[in-house]
Amino acid sequence: MKIEGKQRLWDEYQKEIADDHYYFARSCIRQNFFPGSEIAFLRILKNYLHKDVYDDPHQTTCTGIAYHSALIPFETTRAVVARQFSLMNQAGYENFVPSCVTSFGVYSEVIETWHHFPETLEQARQQLYEATGRKFSCPENLVHTSDIIYKYRMEIARQSRYKLINRNTGEPLKVVEHIGCHYAKMFPKKGVGGAEFPSVLSGMIEAWGGAVIDYPERRHCCGFGFRNYIIKENRGYSLSNSKLKFDSMEPYKPDFIVANCPGCTYFLDRWQYVIAETTGKTYGAEGYGIPVLTYEEMAGLVLGMDPWDLGMQLHQVSVESLLDKINIQYDPAKKYSGYMNENIGIPEKPDFLKI
Amino acid sequence: MSLVELLKKDVRFQEGLSACINCGTCTAICPAAHFYNYDPRIIADTIQRGNEADILDLLESDTIWFCGECLSCKTRCPRNNTPGYIVQALRNLSQELGCFTKSERGRQQLEVKRIIGENMIKYGYCVYLDEIDLDGHPEQGPVWQWYKDHADSILKRLGANYKGDGPGTMRKISEEDMSELNRIFEVTGAIKRFEDIEQHCRVEIAK
C-alpha cells in the first residue's frame, strides 16, 4: 500500500522500537525517588506483556548527572557507556533500554559522537580495554523505557482494569504530559514524534481514555538544570522553571501530570510542596496539589496494580484525589504500612499542602 | 596553543558552532535566560569573534555556569549551532586551565565534586538515598524523612533489593564492578579532574 499525505509525513516522526529481548539499564534518580516505578516496569513487561527483559547487576551509573554538571570529561562518559554496552554484549542482548531520560540522552549523544568522530570510538575502545580488558559493540536498538510502554499501549488498554475517565462525569481525565528535555530535544529522530510532536506520553494517555492538555509552557524544561539543582544556592532556578509551568497549566485544571523522566517527575512533585509551604499557593483543588505520576505508575494503575505497591505513598503531593476520580479501589490504612504490614508510623503533615 | 585552538579540540565545540547569525532564538528558548542575567547568543557571538582576551574573560566568569544543559537550544537554532555544547566545551576548558576558581559559580564545582563525584566513587551511582537529608534538601518534604527512617521496610515492601547483592532496585554494586568503574575514571581523566578541582580550590583559598 502506498502511504501518502499526513500518514507519510507522520511516518517520518516514528522510530524503531524492538519487539522483545530488552537489556534494562537502571536510573540513579528513578530507583531512589520512585523505587516502585522501575519494579513496576519490569513486572509489566514480564507479567502482562510476556517480554524477555534482563536486569543486570553489573551496571553502574552512566555518569549522566556528573557529565551534565561538567564534573567529568566527555572521554569518561564515553568509556562508561562503552562498558555498559560491553555488559549488554556479555549478557547476549542487542536492545538497550535505559530507564532514565538523561541516560537515554547520554547514550544517544555518545553513539552520535562515535558516528561523527570515529576517532572517539577508537579512543573509547582503547580506554575501555586498558581499564577493564573489555571489548564492546553498540546496540542494534536503543530506546527509552517509555517507548516500550508506548509501543504496547494498545495491549495494555486491552488488559486494562481502569480507564483514565472521571467516574462522576464520564469525561476523559485532563492530563498534563511532560517529556524530559533529553528525550527528543537533542536528537529529534530518537523520539516518537520527534521534538515537535512528541507523542510517547500523549499516545499512552489517549489509548487509556484520557485527554491531553495543550498549555503554553508545555515544552518548557522542568528546571532540573543539573548543577542548578545540585548546588543549594542555585536551586531557585529549578523552582522558578517548574513554577512557570504550574502557572501556565493551572487554568486548564489538570487532573494529574505524568512525566517520562524521573527527574522531571520529582521536581514537579516536590516544587508544588515548596510553593505551598512558602507562599500558601496550591495548584490542585481545595488546598491539594496536582498529582504527579511516572508513566509506569500511570500504566500500573490502568492495569489494576495497587497504588501502594507502586510506591505512590512516596510522593509529597498525595494521589488519592486521582484514585477517587478513576474509582480505583485502595486501602487507605495500608498506604504507610511497611513490609508484612509492619507499623512504621506516618510522615508528618506539611503545614499548608493538604495530603 | 591559543584558547580557540584548545576549544576546537573538543568535539562538542566542533558540533556546537558552525556559523551563528546572532538571531537570538537560543536566548528566547533558554530556561536559564528566563531567570538569570544570561544570554547564550552573546556567548556564541563572543566565541565566533575569536578574541582571546574575551574568551579568557568567559572562562573566568560566572556566565558559563548558568546553563542548565537542557539542550533546548539544539532543537531550535536555525543554523544547527548548539550554544549548550559550546558551554560544555568552555566549562571543560575552564577546569583544565584552573580558570573556574576565578568566579563564584565556577568555584561551585568543588561542591559538585564532593557530592556527585564522591557518590559515584562510593556507590557507583550519581545519587543515593543515604546521602540525601532534609538539611541539604528541605524541598524533599516530610515524606522523605519517613522514607529514610524506614527505608529497609519500605523498599522491601516494594520489592527492591536495598544494599543487597545481585540485581534489583537500589542494589549494591559489587567490588569488582566498582573496581572497573574506578579504573575507567583513572584511565580517562576523571580522577585527575577530581584532584585538580580540589587542588585549584586549595590554591585559591590560600590566596
Side-chain angles (χ1 to χ4, degrees):
Chain A
M1 185 180 76
K2 191 175 179 185
I3 298 172
E4 293 181 321
K6 286 183 179 176
Q7 183 60 47
R8 183 181 60 77
L9 287 171
W10 185 234
D11 278 356
E12 293 174 6
Y13 287 90
Q14 302 310 300
K15 67 187 273 189
E16 185 188 347
I17 304 168
D19 292 335
D20 200 354
H21 307 299
Y22 307 114
Y23 181 90
F24 174 72
R26 208 163 276 293
S27 157
C28 295
I29 291 184
R30 201 187 296 281
Q31 70 165 355
N32 278 279
F33 297 171
F34 304 100
S37 287
E38 288 194 341
I39 296 163
F41 174 78
L42 295 173
R43 283 181 181 159
I44 291 169
L45 257 64
K46 289 176 183 173
N47 301 342
Y48 292 85
L49 301 175
H50 308 293
K51 300 297 176 188
D52 167 36
V53 55
Y54 184 63
D55 180 12
D56 192 343
H58 298 294
Q59 296 162 21
T60 65
T61 175
C62 76
T63 75
I65 296 173
Y67 173 60
H68 285 294
S69 301
L71 178 62
I72 55 171
F74 195 13
E75 289 90 327
T76 302
T77 297
R78 296 198 298 259
V80 170
V81 166
R83 179 178 181 272
Q84 309 280 69
F85 290 163
S86 172
L87 290 168
M88 177 196 69
N89 303 151
Q90 189 178 320
Y93 287 78
E94 296 180 329
N95 304 320
F96 197 90
V97 186
S99 166
C100 175
V101 164
T102 296
S103 298
F104 178 67
V106 163
Y107 292 117
S108 299
E109 182 180 354
V110 168
I111 289 173
E112 286 290 306
T113 301
W114 286 338
H115 178 70
H116 289 284
F117 303 93
E119 69 278 14
T120 62
L121 174 59
E122 187 54 34
Q123 181 192 41
R125 291 194 190 287
Q126 289 173 4
Q127 289 178 326
L128 181 67
Y129 189 78
E130 182 185 344
T132 67
R134 289 181 174 277
K135 297 179 179 178
F136 75 98
S137 57
C138 288
E140 287 293 315
N141 188 240
L142 169 68
V143 297
H144 184 247
T145 42
S146 61
D147 291 324
I148 296 175
I149 299 295
Y150 170 84
K151 182 181 178 76
Y152 292 109
R153 64 195 185 285
M154 300 314 293
E155 175 58 22
I156 290 172
R158 198 184 62 76
Q159 296 186 40
S160 67
R161 185 170 164 197
Y162 298 104
K163 304 288 184 197
L164 300 178
I165 289 174
N166 187 319
R167 67 157 173 168
N168 293 320
T169 65
E171 295 292 318
L173 292 175
K174 292 174 288 183
V175 190
V176 159
E177 50 87 89
H178 177 83
I179 293 175
C181 291
H182 291 190
Y183 173 74
K185 286 183 181 173
M186 293 161 70
F187 303 101
K189 287 192 178 300
K190 307 280 186 190
V192 177
E196 301 299 341
F197 312 106
S199 53
V200 64
L201 291 176
S202 60
M204 293 181 209
I205 293 162
E206 288 168 357
W208 302 337
V212 177
I213 294 173
D214 191 9
Y215 66 106
E217 299 295 350
R218 184 175 174 184
R219 297 293 167 226
H220 194 83
C221 175
C222 73
F224 181 8
F226 301 96
R227 69 193 311 283
N228 284 295
Y229 171 74
I230 293 161
I231 305 297
K232 196 175 184 180
E233 292 80 359
N234 301 349
R235 231 165 264 170
Y237 167 96
S238 182
L239 170 60
S240 301
N241 279 295
S242 285
K243 184 175 183 301
L244 183 78
K245 292 182 70 74
F246 297 140
D247 290 343
S248 177
M249 71 178 74
E250 185 183 22
Y252 301 86
K253 297 184 173 17
D255 293 305
F256 73 100
I257 300 167
V258 62
N260 72 337
C261 173
C264 305
T265 317
Y266 164 75
F267 293 114
L268 295 172
D269 180 79
R270 293 310 206 272
W271 290 134
Q272 286 193 73
Y273 157 72
V274 169
I275 292 168
E277 298 306 291
T278 53
T279 70
K281 168 73 180 171
T282 52
Y283 289 94
E286 299 170 356
Y288 290 87
I290 306 167
V292 187
L293 274 59
T294 67
Y295 63 91
E296 299 101 320
E297 289 169 343
M298 178 170 69
L301 289 179
V302 163
L303 287 166
M305 292 182 179
D306 185 281
W308 315 138
D309 289 343
L310 288 165
M312 297 178 81
Q313 62 275 46
L314 297 180
H315 296 214
Q316 189 57 74
V317 174
S318 61
V319 298
E320 281 88 335
S321 64
L322 173 65
L323 304 181
D324 293 341
K325 281 177 188 170
I326 304 176
N327 198 25
I328 287 174
Q329 304 300 305
Y330 63 95
D331 183 350
K334 289 191 174 173
K335 179 174 182 181
Y336 293 120
S337 61
Y339 182 61
M340 303 287 280
N341 285 323
E342 180 189 6
N343 181 356
I344 53 173
I346 62 171
E348 286 183 20
K349 287 189 175 177
D351 291 332
F352 288 96
L353 181 68
K354 286 188 186 172
I355 61 170
Chain B
M1 194 176 283
S2 70
L3 295 173
V4 172
E5 285 169 332
L6 287 170
L7 284 169
K8 283 182 178 171
K9 288 170 65 178
D10 193 318
V11 292
R12 293 167 299 189
F13 184 82
Q14 294 175 46
E15 279 289 295
L17 183 64
S18 48
C20 171
I21 57 171
N22 252 300
C23 66
T25 301
C26 54
T27 304
I29 198 73
C30 176
H34 212 101
F35 295 106
Y36 291 135
N37 181 15
Y38 173 72
D39 189 336
R41 179 191 64 82
I42 293 176
I43 293 181
D45 190 42
T46 303
I47 297 298
Q48 188 165 249
R49 281 189 280 110
N51 182 296
E52 288 283 304
D54 290 345
I55 294 173
L56 182 61
D57 282 347
L58 266 183
L59 294 171
E60 294 181 344
S61 72
D62 281 329
T63 306
I64 60 171
W65 300 102
F66 289 123
C67 168
E69 298 201 12
C70 68
L71 278 308
S72 299
C73 52
K74 188 174 192 303
T75 316
R76 287 283 169 255
C77 176
R79 288 292 178 272
N80 294 321
N81 300 299
T82 307
Y85 284 172
I86 299 170
V87 166
Q88 285 184 315
L90 286 165
R91 287 174 171 182
N92 190 61
L93 186 58
S94 179
Q95 291 177 98
E96 282 188 5
L97 301 178
C99 298
F100 72 102
T101 61
K102 303 293 182 190
S103 70
E104 185 180 337
R105 289 264 167 174
R107 287 191 293 274
Q108 291 174 340
Q109 283 306 91
L110 180 63
E111 195 176 347
V112 174
K113 179 263 169 185
R114 290 183 178 176
I115 298 171
I116 304 299
E118 291 176 15
N119 276 345
M120 290 192 298
I121 297 292
K122 188 172 177 183
Y123 298 104
Y125 301 117
C126 285
V127 177
Y128 206 68
L129 168 68
D130 297 34
E131 303 294 326
I132 303 168
D133 58 36
L134 288 187
D135 285 342
H137 292 271
E139 72 280 0
Q140 282 280 10
V143 75
W144 185 259
Q145 191 62 55
W146 175 77
Y147 175 30
K148 276 202 72 159
D149 290 344
H150 306 287
D152 285 319
S153 184
I154 293 168
L155 286 166
K156 199 168 180 184
R157 175 188 173 178
L158 296 177
N161 183 21
Y162 183 40
K163 296 181 181 173
D165 297 326
T169 296
M170 302 294 289
R171 63 184 160 73
K172 186 178 87 178
I173 294 177
S174 73
E175 285 183 21
E176 291 83 350
D177 294 311
M178 288 300 298
S179 171
E180 287 197 12
L181 183 67
N182 284 321
R183 277 288 297 148
I184 291 173
F185 278 18
E186 284 170 13
V187 166
T188 58
I191 297 294
K192 182 175 184 306
R193 168 67 58 81
F194 295 167
E195 291 168 354
D196 285 351
I197 289 172
E198 292 278 352
Q199 174 62 17
H200 284 303
C201 288
R202 271 196 298 273
V203 169
E204 189 66 22
I205 290 166
K207 289 179 185 170

